[in-house]
Amino acid sequence: MIALLLLPLALPWLLPPLARRAVTRVHPVAALWAITVSAVALAIGVLACLGALLLPVALAVPALAAVAHLVEPLRAGPRVLVLVVSAVAAGTFVVTCGTLARRIRSELRRLGAVRGDVAHLPHAGGLCVVDDPRPDAYALPGGLRGRARIVVTTGMLRALDAPEREILLTHERAHLAGRHHLFLAAVQLAGWCHPALAAVVPQVSFAAERAADEAAARATGDRKLAARAVGRAALAATRGPGPGPLPVVAPGVVTGPVPARVRALLLQAPVRRVAPVLLAMGLTCSVAAASSFSGAVLLHRGVEVAQGEAPSG
């Protein structure tokens, strides 16, 4: 029972190498979906298993055992081992929940600050130009009370020529149209639940940038121009101090490993296909789900037995 509930805590370590292969072997949109869904599914499994594992140590407290109507101790394996694992799981669960609450609050404050900086500025068609010599551009998602905007500094506009500026704006529009901020937010939440899942955040960010790059290249019909625009924008951004860290949900044109993005644009357009790496991700999530469910069922039966009931099935 305990082994079944521990397995989903170890399986997330398989995702980072699979994610690194996915972003280079499949279409960016497919990689974006596959990595994000896998990370979220594994994160849910982690939280569910930690919650289930803390039950034995909780029910070892007489008051809680009485509330649960236990007439004998819960048997889930060797008592000392079960209680040690359960106590560690309880501590990890509390720390994880605290980390989630603290970092979500911090990220929301940072997003609110960025929105506040541009809220008073005029915009045309969702484009907001900031009078700032530092080159920067990013897609700012809308909220319940505000609309999405593309934010570009005057420094970035001066660094690019007219065709490159059009590539830049098309790239940022693709971020908003593809709702890439939702993928970034979801995988960031998953990363705060497990250290292995935190390692796939850069891969999802890279996949989102690659998806926007491909959208810009398709819109203009010139992959070399798109590659040049991405390269020049990134080069311009390195010439001066940046405007400070942006929220995770505000992807920008200079995010991620730019040389790899430029190299991919100079190659032929990626082919949409199902690669073995995607099947491996699906298998990993399936094993985690099956293990979590089986462990939870066995734990439930153990509680029934401790309550003096005959085990079902």
Side-chain angles (χ1 to χ4, degrees):
M1 179 191 307
I2 294 297
L4 285 173
L5 291 173
L6 288 176
L7 182 59
L9 303 181
L11 285 174
W13 293 104
L14 296 178
L15 189 58
L18 292 175
R20 287 192 292 270
R21 292 171 68 88
V23 295
T24 60
R25 300 194 175 205
V26 300
H27 193 278
V29 175
L32 185 62
W33 274 98
I35 300 171
T36 303
V37 170
S38 298
V40 170
L42 290 171
I44 292 173
V46 166
L47 292 177
C49 288
L50 287 176
L53 283 169
L54 66 81
L55 192 60
V57 75
L59 293 180
V61 178
L64 294 178
V67 171
H69 305 292
L70 300 191
V71 296
E72 59 180 90
L74 173 65
R75 295 187 179 91
R79 182 169 177 78
V80 175
L81 174 63
V82 169
L83 291 180
V84 169
V85 171
S86 184
V88 172
T92 304
F93 184 80
V94 171
V95 170
T96 300
C97 290
T99 299
L100 275 171
R102 185 176 65 255
R103 292 187 175 177
I104 289 173
R105 190 164 55 246
S106 174
E107 192 68 16
L108 288 175
R109 280 200 301 264
R110 190 158 46 155
L111 179 59
V114 173
R115 284 177 173 159
D117 290 340
V118 301
H120 64 285
L121 297 176
H123 60 89
L127 174 62
C128 180
V129 178
V130 179
D131 186 11
D132 190 334
R134 298 172 298 185
D136 197 20
Y138 55 91
L140 186 62
L144 296 176
R145 299 181 179 178
R147 61 175 300 176
R149 294 186 181 185
I150 297 170
V151 181
V152 184
T153 64
T154 52
M156 180 63 80
L157 293 178
R158 284 195 292 267
L160 306 177
D161 59 28
E164 291 166 349
R165 286 196 291 269
E166 185 58 34
I167 289 285
L168 172 75
L169 298 180
T170 303
H171 174 101
E172 300 302 342
R173 291 190 194 102
H175 277 313
L176 296 177
R179 298 184 179 274
H180 294 165
H181 57 283
L182 298 180
F183 293 90
L184 295 169
V187 79
Q188 184 63 80
L189 285 172
W192 292 333
C193 295
H194 195 287
L197 300 179
V200 306
V201 174
Q203 307 305 324
V204 171
S205 177
F206 179 63
E209 294 304 322
R210 283 282 301 115
D213 289 343
E214 290 297 330
R218 285 195 306 272
T220 58
D222 191 337
R223 299 182 66 83
K224 289 184 178 179
L225 173 61
R228 190 180 74 201
V230 170
R232 289 192 62 184
L235 183 61
T238 62
R239 292 174 182 164
L246 291 169
V248 173
V249 296
V253 72
V254 297
T255 303
V258 175
R261 290 170 53 197
V262 171
R263 186 165 55 250
L265 282 169
L266 293 176
L267 299 175
Q268 63 181 4
V271 178
R272 296 180 183 271
R273 60 188 177 89
V274 177
V277 66
L278 300 185
L279 299 178
M281 285 185 189
L283 179 61
T284 301
C285 293
S286 299
V287 172
S291 180
S292 300
F293 179 76
S294 299
V297 169
L298 290 176
L299 185 60
H300 179 262
R301 289 180 178 176
V303 171
E304 287 183 334
V305 171
Q307 291 173 332
E309 300 177 10
S312 58

